[in-house]
Amino acid sequence: MSTEELASKAAQISLSDNFLFVDEAAGSDETGCGTQCSPYQTSVAAVTLIVSMPEEKQSSFKIAIKKAGDTDYAEITASALKKARKSQEIAAKKAKKQAEQSSKDKEQNEAREAEEQRRLDESKKVVLTEDGSLPAAQLIRIQDAVEKRNTRVKVFGWVHRQRVQGKDMMFVVLRDGTGFLQCVMTDRLCHSFDALTLTLESAIAVYGEIREVPAGKTAPDGHELIVDYWHVVGKAPGGDDSFTNRVSEESDPSLLLQQRHLVIRGDRASSILKVRARVMRAFRDHFDGNGYFEVTPPCMVQTEVEGGSTLFEFDYYGEKAYLTQSSQLYLETCLPSMGAVYTLSESYRAEKSNTRRHLSEYTHCEAEIPFISFNDLLDTIEAMVKGVVNRVWEEPATRAMITQLNPEFKPYTEPFVRMRYEEAIQWLNDQGVKRAEDGLDFEFGDDIPEAPERKMTDAIGKPILLTHFPGPIKAFYMPATKEDPRVTESVDLLMPGVGEVVGGSMRIWDHAQLLAAFQRQGLNPDVYYWYLDQRKYGTCPHGGFGLGIERFIAWITNSRTVRDCCLYPRFVGRCQP
């Protein structure tokens, strides 16, 4: 309670009211005023009020106290009064000290603000100009900085980090998408208004000479730019709207998704996207190097591939159409004219699976190969995965990013494990893994869910080519094996930490068998006339597969969710930004 409030209460009490009342059970130091109708809770509050009165009035007052459980008030004992006075003195000294410190802090803050304002006012008088006597600066990207050491250069970029050292030195780490460059600004370069108000994510241009850092010092690529001139290109806001107030590592995941356009500027997010770009190139290089042709199938279709329940339907000029689930059927039509073909394009699944490995839109790497056997297909998938990994691993910059993201990652050199579906069922039962719906053992014909599949894959700790799934749980175009008509020539590639990455199979290549498969699936073969014609005009044994790029990236980078492995993820409830 303030001194003014205490004085006001003291003035309201007449000399005839010579007792201040304290009720330890029902009183209140905050709202009480010391009367019997409105007692205090502690004797310290009563003493505090008394000492705030004029000296001639203080001796007129006594304290009546009612302890918890008592029914009547009694005058406070001498020892209790002494203790209360001691406590009041301590509290008064503490309050005085706090008031003095508060006043001192206020004065210091005001002085600091005045000095800051003075510096800002002075900084507006500092005008930076480029020294015309220096060599013309060469415009470079940061990735080329090593080759341009000891040369005057010009670099554009965004302020990724900054650190002020005293009044005459400032370090800025610049980012331009190709790398990071530490820039050192000194003297007048640190005194301008733009320097004093520089914010993270501002776009700037810096001029100067790139030099190796002194021994014992560290910086990206082992060098730094000694700045001789710089200017702001686009300043980012500070204060409440500053970049770090918009997103941070501690932000809620839903907020990070909403602010994904800012999140991708971060170290991890940008590294994952760069690894993705290199992986996409590696897939193309692998296929091109093995004689495949890339094709670009349509994404608007009137047929289904993986079941009607996951189709995105839309009106196509008055006709019913869908976003493609897979380009497989179109790739098969290219085999007679182009041989082995592949595509890297988007596929869409309207399945409401809100899990960390499902997306409604994802990048689909698909391939079809003519005149192969099922074993050839398995070898092809394994060679592709190993080949792509080796390609990105051989690039020093990409390898460095992968190592930073996933320090434990190493390319697989040993053969992948090959396991039949029936062996997987037996493994789960031997390990005591039960079906979630009824707690019983798995049986032949069960579709193995994600959790048991991941448990098995992680326990084995190696890539698994899981083969020969029962026909009823696989797509209609997958042929039964000659040895056991119950199972198909089908395969899923399972990766530790991720689960299924590739799904593939041989394709039914007999016209009559394919017609029968359409009938079992309840599909109108007339809509698929162009697909059936492939079995009429020179059919051949062939097979193919599809790989989810986001899952592949998640495996390489040890990302918890595929949502981190694409630019703007699309899934149930998320179609922004």
Side-chain angles (χ1 to χ4, degrees):
M1 190 176 296
S2 67
T3 303
E4 293 77 8
E5 290 173 319
L6 287 170
S8 175
K9 283 195 173 186
Q12 296 170 15
I13 300 175
S14 66
L15 287 175
S16 59
D17 300 321
N18 62 343
F19 271 101
L20 290 178
F21 293 89
V22 174
D23 187 334
E24 293 183 348
S28 171
D29 290 348
E30 287 73 31
T31 60
C33 60
T35 65
Q36 193 167 0
C37 295
S38 182
Y40 288 121
Q41 186 180 35
T42 68
S43 54
V44 173
V47 170
T48 302
L49 179 60
I50 291 173
V51 298
S52 68
M53 300 176 182
E55 286 189 24
E56 67 275 8
K57 195 175 181 181
Q58 292 180 15
S59 59
S60 303
F61 281 86
K62 298 177 182 179
I63 298 174
I65 187 169
K66 181 166 66 174
K67 295 185 178 295
D70 291 349
T71 56
D72 298 317
Y73 284 95
E75 186 174 351
I76 191 170
T77 63
S79 60
L81 179 61
K82 182 178 180 181
K83 184 178 179 180
R85 284 175 174 168
K86 184 65 175 178
S87 297
Q88 185 277 328
E89 289 174 2
I90 294 173
K93 289 179 181 178
K94 184 177 180 180
K96 181 180 179 182
K97 187 175 181 180
Q98 288 177 339
E100 291 173 349
Q101 185 61 46
S102 178
S103 176
K104 185 178 179 181
D105 291 343
K106 182 180 179 182
E107 291 176 0
Q108 290 177 343
N109 288 336
E110 290 175 348
R112 189 161 42 246
E113 290 173 3
E115 173 61 18
E116 182 65 23
Q117 188 59 50
R118 186 195 66 77
R119 287 185 66 205
L120 289 174
D121 293 340
E122 288 294 319
S123 71
K124 294 176 182 178
K125 302 174 185 178
V126 178
V127 179
L128 302 179
T129 57
E130 186 176 2
D131 188 345
S133 66
L134 295 174
Q138 298 181 32
L139 177 61
I140 68 166
R141 293 183 298 176
I142 292 176
Q143 68 178 9
D144 303 320
V146 173
E147 301 170 4
K148 297 297 181 179
R149 286 179 178 175
N150 303 314
T151 302
R152 190 167 185 264
V153 299
K154 175 183 179 181
V155 183
F156 288 103
W158 289 266
V159 178
H160 191 64
R161 285 189 292 272
Q162 66 180 124
R163 175 169 59 89
V164 176
Q165 188 170 307
K167 295 182 179 180
D168 299 316
M169 181 172 286
M170 182 166 67
F171 294 89
V172 172
V173 175
L174 205 63
R175 181 191 76 242
D176 74 345
T178 71
F180 298 89
L181 178 63
Q182 179 168 288
C183 307
V184 183
M185 303 177 185
T186 57
D187 300 328
R188 280 175 57 82
L189 298 175
C190 304
H191 301 162
S192 68
F193 182 79
D194 282 338
L196 295 184
T197 58
L198 187 62
T199 51
L200 292 180
E201 294 304 320
S202 293
I204 65 174
V206 291
Y207 301 66
E209 190 172 306
I210 298 174
R211 300 175 188 168
E212 288 190 65
V213 294
K217 303 293 184 180
T218 59
D221 292 326
H223 57 219
E224 57 192 6
L225 179 70
I226 308 303
V227 180
D228 59 53
Y229 172 66
W230 72 283
H231 64 86
V232 172
V233 176
K235 182 171 267 186
D240 293 340
D241 201 28
S242 66
F243 184 83
T244 51
N245 280 341
R246 293 285 297 277
V247 293
S248 69
E249 292 182 357
E250 293 76 29
S251 297
D252 184 84
S254 61
L255 175 63
L256 294 178
L257 286 166
Q258 190 69 16
Q259 304 295 331
R260 177 75 176 165
H261 59 293
L262 300 179
V263 169
I264 60 176
R265 300 187 183 201
D267 291 340
R268 179 172 178 82
S270 61
S271 292
I272 290 174
L273 292 178
K274 289 174 184 176
V275 169
R276 177 190 169 100
R278 294 296 180 257
V279 165
M280 296 277 282
R281 184 177 69 185
F283 272 108
R284 287 191 165 95
D285 289 346
H286 171 81
F287 286 120
D288 293 346
N290 284 278
Y292 291 67
F293 283 100
E294 182 174 8
V295 294
T296 51
C299 68
M300 295 182 289
V301 301
Q302 292 185 311
T303 53
E304 65 178 73
V305 182
E306 301 294 339
S309 64
T310 64
L311 286 167
F312 277 109
E313 182 180 325
F314 66 95
D315 180 82
Y316 186 76
Y317 304 112
E319 297 182 39
K320 184 185 293 187
Y322 314 102
L323 295 178
T324 184
Q325 299 168 310
S326 166
S327 297
Q328 173 203 321
L329 305 189
Y330 292 99
L331 292 184
E332 289 186 56
T333 68
C334 299
L335 297 180
S337 59
M338 304 176 73
V341 291
Y342 76 97
T343 186
L344 282 165
S345 50
E346 303 309 296
S347 287
Y348 305 85
R349 302 286 172 91
E351 55 182 330
K352 297 181 179 180
S353 298
N354 200 6
T355 73
R356 61 194 183 102
R357 70 172 194 164
H358 283 92
L359 292 168
S360 296
E361 177 187 45
Y362 64 99
T363 304
H364 210 173
C365 173
E366 298 182 88
E368 292 293 322
I369 313 100
F371 302 107
I372 62 169
S373 68
F374 184 53
N375 283 331
D376 293 334
L377 178 64
L378 301 183
D379 292 341
T380 298
I381 294 172
E382 181 170 345
M384 175 195 66
V385 171
K386 288 181 176 178
V388 168
V389 169
N390 287 336
R391 286 177 187 273
V392 296
W393 196 250
E394 288 168 1
E395 296 180 359
T398 308
R399 180 173 181 170
M401 286 189 289
I402 294 173
T403 301
Q404 185 177 31
L405 293 165
N406 186 5
E408 303 301 320
F409 183 82
K410 293 291 185 296
Y412 284 98
T413 57
E414 298 180 5
F416 290 177
V417 174
R418 300 195 179 190
M419 175 186 286
R420 296 174 70 99
Y421 164 85
E422 286 184 87
E423 295 173 322
I425 293 291
Q426 187 63 51
W427 189 97
L428 293 171
N429 291 337
D430 290 345
Q431 299 299 317
V433 180
K434 305 296 183 181
R435 295 188 303 204
E437 62 270 22
D438 56 17
L440 299 177
D441 282 351
F442 283 92
E443 298 177 353
F444 182 89
D446 288 339
D447 193 358
I448 303 174
E450 176 190 355
E453 182 183 84
R454 284 280 302 276
K455 183 179 181 68
M456 178 183 72
T457 308
D458 292 347
I460 293 173
K462 296 178 181 179
I464 301 172
L465 287 164
L466 189 60
T467 66
H468 299 92
F469 291 87
I473 65 173
K474 282 298 182 180
F476 70 91
Y477 51 76
M478 297 184 181
T481 65
K482 294 179 180 180
E483 301 80 16
D484 185 353
R486 299 179 307 159
V487 299
T488 56
E489 290 183 315
S490 54
V491 58
D492 285 350
L493 175 60
L494 311 179
M495 288 296 187
V498 178
E500 180 190 345
V501 173
V502 178
S505 75
M506 297 299 289
R507 316 308 192 190
I508 295 176
W509 58 287
D510 179 82
H511 188 276
Q513 290 181 13
L514 188 56
L515 270 176
F518 277 122
Q519 292 173 355
R520 289 194 301 271
Q521 192 70 14
L523 298 175
N524 180 7
D526 294 341
V527 180
Y528 295 83
Y529 72 93
W530 49 273
Y531 184 62
L532 283 163
D533 276 353
Q534 307 309 309
R535 277 68 177 172
K536 183 186 294 186
Y537 296 96
T539 189
C540 73
H542 62 283
F545 56 85
L547 175 146
I549 291 294
E550 287 79 10
R551 291 189 185 180
F552 190 86
I553 301 298
W555 167 55
I556 287 180
T557 61
N558 193 32
S559 296
R560 183 185 176 279
T561 170
V562 293
R563 297 174 185 178
D564 293 338
C565 300
C566 55
L567 186 59
Y568 292 106
R570 297 290 183 255
F571 54 93
V572 180
R574 171 62 57 184
C575 200
Q576 285 186 336

